[in-house]
Amino acid sequence: MMAALTGRIPLIALSVAALFASAVHSQVPAKAQAAAAAATAPPPKRIKSFDDTMPSSGARIDPATAPGNALFQQHCAMCHLGGVPKAPSPNFMGMLAPDAIISALTDGVMKAQAAALTPKQKIEVAEYLTRTPYASYKPAPPPAQCSGASAQFDMADVPQPIGWGRDNSRFVPAQIAGLTKAEVPRLALKWAFAYPAANRARSQPIVAWGTLFVGSQDGTIYAFDPETGCTRWTTRLVAEVRTAIVADPVTKRLYFGDLLGRAHALDAMTGKPLWSTKVSDHASATITGTPALGGGLLYVPVSSLEVVEASDTKYACCTFRGSVLALDPATGAEVWRAYTAGPPTDQGKTRQGARILGPSGAPVWSSPTYDARTQRVYFGSGENYSSPADENSDAVFAVDARTGTRVWSTQLTPHDAWNVGCMLGNDSCPKENGPDFDVAASALLIPLAGDQRILVVGQKSGEAWGIDPDTGKIRWNQRLGHGGTQGGVHFGMAAEGQRVFVPINDMADTHDARVYDAKLRGTGLHAIDAATGHEFWYANPADNCAGKQFCDPGISAAVTAMPGVVFAGNLDGMFRAYDSETGAVLWQTDTTRPVKTIDGRIGNGGSMSGSGPAVWKGRVFVNSGYGIYSHMAGNVLLVYGPQSKPAP
Ligand code: HEC
């Protein structure tokens, strides 16, 4: 799926036969779409391997000739190439910081397995895995520690149920925002921080107890003073934090998930790790959606990058099954697990002789939605990875929050099996060949007139759906864009009352001729009515790419609402505030421009994806930079506040 492993990975042109043979879920006939696409789509670019989609700065290690290659084959491959459950795939290890790998081998969990390696060989293995010369890897000194008043937590600022993990409508009420619509045009940069040794910044910042908490690529979690940017504590774990941080108002714990599929709890006041739970035995499992707190449990969504592994024509695809786990927030112990697809069983062999296992996949990319009224948890799933596609891909589920028992499930797109083999045009691609229409964004549970409620869901098909939370019945469907592997709704929508803000990422070069339609291209922000799906407005501000490499004007990141205003960051690095009544742009800034950081360095943002902004007491906090899967690198945390009014 491309929402979370998201991105512009140019698709290889599909053969005409495959194009018409595939099942396509769409309101526009496939033939008409294909004709439109042929007329308007830019010529496809070819990619040879998934590595081609990783933008890099500086020198790269050639894996074929690196001395670490042979060391890895000799000392690591027997476990890490699928031999041992829980051993992360090389794909994931390549996304770790080089020093995190070396410390895992030196005094971490891999100490025994790497006992035969010299310090130099450990560096060589890390260089091979990360493709980064160790000499060019420079972790920066830690940011300044707070002292005096700025070191104090504000215990009266108890975290409210807003934002991912507490409330997926991502609405910040006036008293917490501390910012008015009239002040938004005067927003200016207050301070910036550059995450060390990072080319992406995708953990959603949050503020609780007067402290800004955010995770980062090298596995550091920061507790900043939101006013000055000094730190109250920092804690470094091993792997990238991809989710938002969730603050538990009662126990003062912080919860989040990491790249290697571990859920963590820290003490919010000290940063001390309390527990850590590996949520899946699968080598490619990861946590992308934010764990959600409700009813005394922590609901953790499990996704995976096996979709990438699957592109290897020798790989037995696939064994991962999406799920949501309920953990005891006090201990991290598993209470229940609800699977989406599977279990996978033998389904024969590919033409090249690799085993096919299915049904598989249907990962859960986004934060589950807890419903206190019915004690249910709602979540969406992505595509199957292998044939046969089943009824659990691209679906929405309601499960009992106490037991995980399924109450209902509603499939939005049938017959969707896809993996990166389809993008490379190889034999690993399942016969369904997509369309990879994940239900990628969290479901919004919205109160309507009377006692009614509706679940609003966004999909990579470019559609928004209104679903009855009690029965799972579809009440309405609204097409806002053409969707595609890199199209439609990605990380998250927001709502102000009944008005839902739906970001669309339709890319000009989606290269999926089955869905590409310039007329339907809905890139930008849409406001719709939660009761009916009726569209109030559509805003598609100017494209800021101007020939920049890895740039696209779509909105992949989650958006955030406050009274009268919606904030949205684009893949081209533009960060904008829209008038929620009209869609007019109230304010905008280019986050790719170099900025001076609080510790005197120069940093810059890049593509904005994954998480969205946080708004708290007159400040707007946002991350910029997404140097992965063909997007623009960057590594900054940016903090904005209104400048004082100019004298009349
Ligand atoms: C005997 C099997 C085995 C061998 C051999 C092995 N690993 Fe691991 N490795 C694992 C397992 C299992 C885990 C997951 C441990 C966990 O999550 O508790 C892991 C985790 C890791 C991690 C993540 C570390 C962390 O703190 O989460 C890294 C990095 C790693 N291995 C690198 C290597 C390298 C490099 C080698 C070769 C020098 C190697 N491993 C050899 C089984 C193995």
Side-chain angles (χ1 to χ4, degrees), residues 71-72 75-76 78-80 84-88 93 96 100-101 104-105 109-110 113-114 117 125 129 238 260 262 278:
L71 293 167
F72 180 83
H75 297 278
C76 323
M78 62 286 215
C79 297
H80 282 278
V84 165
K86 292 193 181 171
M93 293 194 284
L96 299 177
I101 296 179
L105 303 180
V109 294
M110 289 291 101
Q113 286 74 14
L117 301 185
V125 172
L129 287 170
V238 173
L260 297 182
R262 279 180 295 221
K278 184 104 175 167

Side-chain angles (χ1 to χ4, degrees), residues 43 131 139 165 237-238 268 301 324 332 340 342 372 375 394-395 399 415 486 510 611:
R131 317 282 197 252
L237 303 176
V238 173
V324 170
T340 53
Q375 302 215 38
D394 305 344
V399 302
H415 316 301
Q486 287 88 226
T510 288
S611 70

Side-chain angles (χ1 to χ4, degrees), residues 283-483:
S284 295
T286 187
I287 303 175
T288 311
T290 301
L293 205 50
L297 293 173
L298 187 69
Y299 309 99
V300 186
V302 189
S303 53
S304 94
L305 299 193
E306 194 185 27
V307 73
V308 180
E309 230 71 46
S311 65
D312 177 344
T313 51
K314 293 189 286 298
Y315 186 85
C317 170
C318 277
T319 47
F320 175 81
R321 322 163 59 185
S323 64
V324 170
L325 275 80
L327 301 181
D328 176 347
T331 61
E334 181 175 326
V335 178
W336 54 254
R337 182 193 296 266
Y339 282 106
T340 53
T345 56
D346 244 301
Q347 305 288 340
K349 291 194 166 151
T350 65
R351 275 171 306 169
Q352 293 186 22
R355 282 174 70 203
I356 302 172
L357 296 146
S360 62
V364 184
W365 291 109
S366 59
S367 192
T369 303
Y370 173 72
D371 182 353
R373 190 200 286 184
T374 57
Q375 302 215 38
R376 286 179 187 170
V377 175
Y378 310 102
F379 53 89
S381 65
E383 87 287 9
N384 294 115
Y385 294 164
S386 52
S387 293
D390 73 358
E391 69 287 1
N392 296 308
S393 50
D394 305 344
V396 183
F397 302 82
V399 302
D400 186 315
R402 292 151 300 189
T403 61
T405 308
R406 198 181 286 190
V407 181
W408 55 256
S409 70
T410 299
Q411 186 167 44
L412 304 182
T413 303
H415 316 301
D416 184 3
W418 186 92
N419 63 49
V420 170
C422 304
M423 195 172 271
L424 301 176
N426 72 27
D427 202 33
S428 305
C429 181
K431 64 176 185 300
E432 291 85 351
N433 190 3
D436 186 27
F437 282 170
D438 313 79
V439 180
S442 293
L444 276 56
L445 185 60
I446 307 229
L448 299 178
D451 208 23
Q452 299 288 300
R453 300 173 318 152
I454 195 151
L455 208 54
V456 179
V457 169
Q459 204 190 350
K460 271 172 56 189
S461 59
E463 289 158 293
W465 303 78
I467 296 175
D468 183 331
D470 295 327
T471 61
K473 280 217 173 66
I474 295 169
R475 294 240 193 96
W476 54 260
N477 153 283
Q478 170 69 280
R479 175 167 287 282
L480 301 166
H482 60 59

